[in-house]
Amino acid sequence: MRSQSLVAALGIGSAALALHVQFPANTAGETCVRPSDIINLNTPSYSLSSNTEQWRFDEGPPENATGNLIFDTVHSFLQHWPNTRYRNGHNIVPGVIPMGTLLYHGGNSDAIPSGPEWIATDPEHSIIFARGRDGGGWHLTLAATRPLKVLYFDGSSAAKISEGTMDTQDILAWGEVQPERFFDERQRIRDLCTWGKEFGIDGFARMEMDFEVMMCDFTAGVEVVSFLHVRVLPQDGNPYFPHLLSPPAFDSDAGTRQFEVMHSGSWHNRYPGDSRIVLDLTGLISLYDAALAPSLISVRAGIERWDHRVFGISSDDISQVMRKLTEAVSRPEPVGSGIDWKTLIHVIVDRYADRLELMQHLLNFTSSDSQELFQRVKLAQTQLSVMLTPYLLDSTIVPSAGTPGVDASQWASPIFRLCATTHTSKMIDHTSSMTPSERLLLKAVEETTREICRVTTKMWAHGVMSGLDSLFPVNAEPDTTQIMNYWRHDIQKLMSWLDWSVWVKCRPACGPEEMCYLPTWPVNAPRPRHPRPPPRDPWNATDAPEPDHLADRVGPPPEGPTTPTEEWRKPQPKCIRRVQPYTF
């Protein structure tokens, strides 16, 4: 009776008692079930704010759910590591660069740019463009005199390749995705700035080896801190495009400066990322939003996340995206609920990331010794209890093992519900003050925490009914081999669905002369079959608008690029040297 009272107190209707989940067989005679029977991906969409929600352990996320993708991309904003791993961005986010922030620009003359140009957030990035005929160059340092209004494109959005990194920019600049224009940088910056002028946008934030801003006007919102004629040793070739250099040249002074751009980018690998750009998530535009861009559902169907991109979006969806973006950047003052979505999402990742990783480690264990297996599965059960501790109610009643007609979901579903809703239950009362972007974020957080809690509570309840839990003792003899196999499957499936880049790291850790690295544009990008010809003026890397300028070239080399390798398509971490001789 106490368990029924608890269910009523938590507001779970009688329908929630008609749950069905089965666990592997043990000596107490429980029914065995295949892992494929436990998770049903073809279920209708759910809403955690609904009072009629059925907290079923066998009801996983819908097959085309994108809440996990929205959650992870938002968690990854302005972090170099995850946006190098998944290069093709799907988000456009308003933001500001705070007053007093320093920004950098390198050039071949002492003239301040009179039109749109690129600026860097770290001087290591801009200094490679400070190159003149006399072996020196000019390096400009600017300070923001007011908050600079920017739009941020996530992913490796400054990587000049045709496979999707610039899709979202194309929509703004040209009204459609034009992958053949991946190298049309000069026209891209002009057209983006022309579009943004109406809304007072000062620039567009992107990422390649490090973060940069496509600055529209060097006379608005910034002032000169210094404009220095710096000494740069003469070099052969073009350090910005190392596929134009022979391998020995990368160990030259030019190569050192090239490497230090990637090194400075690595400072922003993890949270909080590049904090000099402050994003306004109340204006988030996500192309993973199925309601905003439904045409992309079929484009993504059946392909791996590495290959997700915006190319293939319908013209109607583009129009809808542009309407929503225009509304977001036209707001005269801040709006929304006031919820700190960025912190909320990072709190959830901090809470679960290392614990799920530890569970994966504990379960990656085999032994012919039954006692060793038992001790290992007990350790795993302890970790499940640790994750669920705030929700383990003292009033919980666990039926005896083998009790006829009772399954674990009848007593454990309240714990599942508490775990899944604690972070968001009070937010639901304030949805009327939320922007559409915030409601999308709320749904993403709900879907993500629901799946984490569904899987971990199901595993924990299985352990309890198998006699593995010291807080809720049950007299049972566990089949540790089956439990380990099922739990290993469950954790792997959950972590693959979450796909958090915090779990992608170099193992073993890199040495003091190394850093952990993911293949990066342009160093590891597929090379042309024949080297792209250098600019007419070899000292003019990307700054001056001369006709033969690299940034003015449209499309791939005449011979076409080589086929991307698996190492490039699916970047995996590796240790590379931080000192010469460099390795990539």
Side-chain angles (χ1 to χ4, degrees):
M1 292 299 294
R2 287 179 62 196
S3 61
Q4 292 177 354
S5 299
L6 172 66
V7 169
L10 289 173
I12 299 178
S14 59
L17 294 177
L19 306 179
H20 302 283
V21 63
Q22 294 176 318
F23 295 95
N26 59 31
T27 55
E30 293 177 305
T31 305
C32 182
V33 64
R34 298 183 304 275
S36 59
D37 296 328
I38 296 174
I39 299 174
N40 176 18
L41 294 179
N42 298 312
T43 55
S45 179
Y46 46 76
S47 170
L48 299 189
S49 61
S50 171
N51 292 327
T52 60
E53 171 58 36
Q54 296 185 17
W55 296 92
R56 299 172 60 97
F57 287 119
D58 62 348
E59 186 174 296
E63 186 174 7
N64 292 320
T66 57
N68 58 321
L69 301 174
I70 295 169
F71 183 97
D72 183 57
T73 52
V74 173
H75 173 256
S76 301
F77 284 165
L78 294 168
Q79 296 174 57
H80 199 272
W81 187 263
N83 287 287
T84 302
R85 181 170 175 242
Y86 288 120
R87 300 185 182 93
N88 297 341
H90 284 69
N91 297 275
I92 308 169
V93 196
V96 295
I97 297 175
M99 179 178 174
T101 302
L102 296 184
L103 301 162
Y104 308 92
H105 175 81
N108 62 356
S109 74
D110 59 355
I112 294 177
S114 58
E117 276 288 352
W118 292 264
I119 55 177
T121 57
D122 291 310
E124 287 77 9
H125 195 178
S126 55
I127 202 76
I128 62 173
F129 301 110
R131 305 171 63 243
R133 292 177 176 82
D134 60 356
W138 292 88
H139 194 241
L140 172 64
T141 301
L142 301 166
T145 58
R146 57 169 171 78
L148 299 176
K149 188 175 180 179
V150 298
L151 282 182
Y152 166 64
F153 302 106
D154 72 330
S156 293
S157 47
K160 284 160 269 295
I161 55 177
S162 63
E163 287 80 32
T165 55
M166 295 187 170
D167 288 356
T168 52
Q169 296 167 70
D170 288 4
I171 289 175
L172 264 68
W174 303 317
E176 63 179 350
V177 179
Q178 298 187 22
E180 73 280 1
R181 298 180 69 179
F182 70 94
F183 234 103
D184 197 1
E185 284 283 77
R186 183 63 60 181
Q187 194 60 47
R188 178 176 285 105
I189 192 174
R190 289 170 180 160
D191 291 342
L192 285 172
C193 287
T194 297
W195 177 87
K197 186 175 182 179
E198 177 184 351
F199 310 107
I201 294 174
D202 295 297
F204 301 84
R206 310 191 304 178
M207 190 196 87
E208 50 174 26
M209 296 175 290
D210 198 350
F211 288 91
E212 68 177 28
V213 178
M214 304 165 86
M215 189 72 175
C216 295
D217 188 347
F218 279 62
T219 66
V222 292
E223 63 183 358
V224 175
V225 174
S226 63
F227 203 179
L228 307 177
H229 194 215
V230 294
R231 179 172 296 182
V232 182
L233 291 176
Q235 63 246 316
D236 296 324
N238 183 344
Y240 196 60
F241 295 94
H243 58 256
L244 299 180
L245 297 171
S246 61
F250 207 84
D251 288 325
S252 66
D253 292 294
T256 297
R257 285 190 294 279
Q258 171 78 47
F259 178 83
E260 287 305 315
V261 182
M262 294 185 292
H263 181 211
S264 63
S266 74
W267 302 339
H268 318 301
N269 270 350
R270 307 291 187 182
Y271 180 75
D274 196 327
S275 56
R276 290 162 292 190
I277 303 167
V278 181
L279 300 180
D280 177 10
L281 296 183
T282 66
L284 165 74
I285 308 296
S286 176
L287 277 300
Y288 276 128
D289 180 355
L292 180 65
S295 62
L296 290 178
I297 296 174
S298 60
V299 172
R300 289 189 297 265
I303 66 173
E304 295 180 284
R305 186 176 171 187
W306 315 97
D307 300 317
H308 289 185
R309 61 179 298 181
V310 178
F311 185 61
I313 187 173
S314 71
S315 57
D316 287 344
D317 287 358
I318 290 176
S319 297
Q320 189 172 204
V321 167
M322 294 306 297
R323 282 195 300 271
K324 186 173 181 181
L325 179 60
T326 299
E327 292 172 3
V329 298
S330 299
R331 298 184 310 216
E333 57 187 34
V335 298
S337 65
I339 294 170
D340 187 344
W341 296 100
K342 175 182 177 181
T343 298
L344 170 63
I345 288 172
H346 283 282
V347 162
I348 292 168
V349 173
D350 287 344
R351 177 167 181 76
Y352 290 108
D354 65 336
R355 286 170 170 168
L356 292 175
E357 190 173 29
L358 177 57
M359 280 292 296
Q360 185 183 54
H361 166 75
L362 291 174
L363 296 171
N364 187 25
F365 179 81
T366 57
S367 174
S368 57
D369 187 322
S370 60
Q371 190 59 32
E372 284 186 346
L373 279 178
F374 178 77
Q375 292 301 323
R376 198 72 169 190
V377 80
K378 282 276 290 181
L379 289 174
Q381 178 70 17
T382 298
Q383 288 304 310
L384 290 167
S385 296
V386 165
M387 280 188 273
L388 296 172
T389 293
Y391 320 113
L392 299 181
L393 300 169
D394 182 61
S395 55
T396 300
I397 300 297
V398 182
S400 301
T403 301
V406 177
D407 62 44
S409 62
Q410 291 179 319
W411 59 269
S413 58
I415 295 169
F416 170 18
R417 184 183 188 222
L418 283 170
C419 173
T421 61
T422 292
H423 289 286
T424 57
S425 60
K426 293 305 178 183
M427 294 180 184
I428 294 169
D429 299 331
H430 302 284
T431 52
S432 61
S433 65
M434 294 181 186
T435 65
S437 299
E438 288 185 287
R439 288 193 286 273
L440 178 70
L441 288 167
L442 175 60
K443 184 173 184 291
V445 172
E446 286 177 334
E447 289 184 4
T448 300
T449 53
R450 184 192 195 279
E451 183 62 4
I452 292 171
C453 295
R454 183 187 74 85
V455 174
T456 54
T457 307
K458 175 170 68 72
M459 293 171 64
W460 171 82
H462 182 187
V464 170
M465 295 298 289
S466 299
L468 297 171
D469 199 276
S470 57
L471 284 177
F472 297 90
V474 171
N475 186 18
E477 292 293 329
D479 185 330
T480 54
T481 299
Q482 279 193 331
I483 292 171
M484 288 282 283
N485 289 338
Y486 287 153
W487 283 5
R488 189 182 301 117
H489 168 271
D490 288 343
I491 284 293
Q492 181 58 44
K493 191 176 185 68
L494 173 62
M495 293 178 69
S496 296
W497 185 81
L498 295 171
D499 199 18
W500 293 344
S501 292
V502 294
W503 294 318
V504 179
K505 60 188 76 173
C506 289
R507 296 183 174 90
C510 303
E513 294 185 5
E514 299 174 316
M515 76 174 194
C516 196
Y517 170 81
L518 289 173
T520 300
W521 186 91
V523 176
N524 299 107
R527 301 182 179 186
R529 293 191 180 94
H530 301 289
R532 185 188 297 274
R536 182 183 61 198
D537 179 355
W539 295 107
N540 182 7
T542 64
D543 292 316
E546 61 186 56
D548 234 3
H549 182 250
L550 278 175
D552 290 330
R553 297 173 185 266
V554 179
E559 298 82 4
T562 58
T563 302
T565 63
E566 280 298 286
E567 180 187 26
W568 170 254
R569 179 173 165 266
K570 299 181 178 181
Q572 300 299 319
K574 60 182 177 180
C575 295
I576 63 171
R577 288 179 56 81
R578 289 179 52 190
V579 293
Q580 297 178 2
Y582 297 111
T583 56
F584 296 99

